[in-house]
């Protein structure tokens, strides 16, 4: 996640969901204001603000130079988008699949953010989950822990498109942020963190055992109705992390549990044809 210029350009071309959500949540007045136009197509203040926020979150320092660079790159992006439309690329299967997936992921992220805004995760919940997981781990002697990342898709076709992009050299972390259906891990770039082998799905574990460090699975792994691409980030002899070390993973576990319970409830009342 490359030089500073390329990194910034990457930020703009692959704007993460968090920034897109900032755009989605802007009031109408901000959306109607614009900072530039390209062939009469406006670049809105909301789009500029979302990109500025994204750049700052990634470590850039707010400055007039940064703001001007972002504005110039937004113009470049709009020029490229217009050129792509001239070639009819917005009608391609890859474009349609990714837009569809992004819309689903954005709605899911907004749904989760809204729920946990009203029901914030407390330290007490984290401690309860920590003790529960400690009991599950028990004696870790001889066990191996894996640190891995994953990109989850709801359709095999979507997963194959993402796998193709990975094979062409696209960033695993960026694709996970932009397209993974795993709302709990999206903000971490798909990172699951350190997990004891006995807590990992057997099919995922089998794939991880065949990978070298920084390698990703050669084909999507079907887990129920989902398709998963995994990358092995590291492995080590198992140990139980401290509460502070485990906090992010504990939050993900609580969010994931809420998702599972919500999906179970919704499936009971839904008409599903497969």
């Amino acid at each position: 996640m490359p030089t500073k210029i390329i990194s910034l350009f990457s930020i703009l071309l692959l704007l993460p969901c968090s920034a897109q959500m900032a755009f989605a949540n802007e009031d109408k007045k901000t959306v109607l204001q614009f900072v530039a136009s390209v062939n009469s197509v406006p670049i809105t203040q909301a789009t500029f603000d979302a990109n500025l926020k994204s750049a700052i979150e990634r470590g850039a320092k707010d400055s007039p130079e940064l703001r001007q660079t972002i504005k110039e790159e937004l113009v470049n992006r709009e020029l490229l988008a217009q050129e792509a439309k001239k070639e009819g690329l917005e009608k391609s299967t890859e474009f349609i699949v990714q837009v569809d997936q992004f819309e689903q992921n954005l709605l899911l992220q907004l749904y989760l953010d809204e729920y946990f805004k009203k029901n914030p995760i407390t330290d007490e919940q984290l401690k309860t989950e920590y003790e529960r997981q400690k009991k599950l781990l028990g004696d870790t002697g001889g066990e191996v822990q894996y640190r891995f990342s994953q990109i989850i898709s709801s359709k095999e076709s979507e997963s194959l498109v993402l796998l193709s992009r990975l094979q062409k050299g696209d960033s695993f972390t960026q694709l996970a942020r932009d397209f993974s259906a795993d709302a709990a891990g999206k903000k971490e770039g798909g990172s699951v963190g350190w997990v004891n082998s006995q807590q990992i799905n057997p099919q995922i574990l089998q794939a991880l055992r065949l990978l070298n460090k920084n390698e990703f699975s050669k084909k999507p792994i079907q887990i129920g109705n989902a398709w998963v691409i995994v990358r092995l980030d590291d492995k080590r002899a198992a140990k139980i992390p401290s509460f502070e070390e485990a906090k992010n993973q504990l939050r993900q576990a609580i969010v994931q549990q809420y998702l599972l319970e919500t999906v179970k409830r919704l499936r009971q009342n839904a008409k599903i044809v497969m």
Side-chain angles (χ1 to χ4, degrees), residues 17 105 109 176-190:
C17 270
N105 291 341
Q109 189 65 54
R177 284 195 179 116
D178 290 346
F179 300 111
S180 181
D182 176 21
K186 282 176 73 73
K187 293 179 181 177
E188 303 299 324

Side-chain angles (χ1 to χ4, degrees), residues 13 22 59 69 82 88 96 106 108 141 157 161 167 198-199 209 214 233 245:
L13 286 178
T69 300
Q82 290 180 20
I96 293 169
L106 178 58
L108 175 56
S157 58
V161 168
Q167 291 168 343
Q198 63 186 348
Q199 294 178 292
R209 284 173 172 163
N214 296 323
D233 299 323
E245 290 174 330

Side-chain angles (χ1 to χ4, degrees), residues 131-257:
E131 293 302 323
R132 186 187 74 82
Q133 292 198 17
K134 275 177 65 177
K135 288 180 181 178
L136 285 175
L137 285 171
D139 180 13
T140 60
E143 285 288 339
V144 175
Q145 285 184 327
Y146 293 88
R147 182 165 63 87
F148 66 98
S149 301
Q150 61 185 11
I151 303 175
I152 300 177
S153 303
S154 58
K155 300 176 183 177
E156 184 181 16
S157 58
E158 295 168 354
S159 192
L160 289 170
V161 168
L162 293 171
L163 184 61
S164 174
R165 292 183 62 175
L166 287 170
Q167 291 168 343
K168 292 175 182 176
D170 281 16
S171 163
F172 192 104
T173 299
Q174 191 64 61
L175 290 178
R177 284 195 179 116
D178 290 346
F179 300 111
S180 181
D182 176 21
K186 282 176 73 73
K187 293 179 181 177
E188 303 299 324
S191 175
V192 178
W194 288 104
V195 184
N196 193 285
S197 58
Q198 63 186 348
Q199 294 178 292
I200 302 173
N201 176 282
Q203 290 168 271
I204 299 292
L205 180 59
Q206 183 180 4
L208 289 172
R209 284 173 172 163
L210 296 174
L211 297 175
N212 295 316
K213 187 175 178 179
N214 296 323
E215 287 184 345
F216 54 84
S217 50
K218 300 301 184 288
K219 61 180 181 179
I221 305 161
Q222 185 175 11
I223 307 294
N225 294 323
W227 297 84
V228 185
I229 302 169
V230 295
R231 182 187 66 190
L232 175 62
D233 299 323
D234 207 349
K235 64 180 179 179
R236 68 185 182 190
K239 69 172 185 176
I240 297 176
S242 68
F243 175 67
E244 289 300 321
E245 290 174 330
K247 267 190 172 181
N248 285 338
Q249 189 175 338
L250 294 170
R251 285 192 183 91
Q252 289 187 28
I254 291 171
V255 172
Q256 195 64 38
Q257 184 58 38

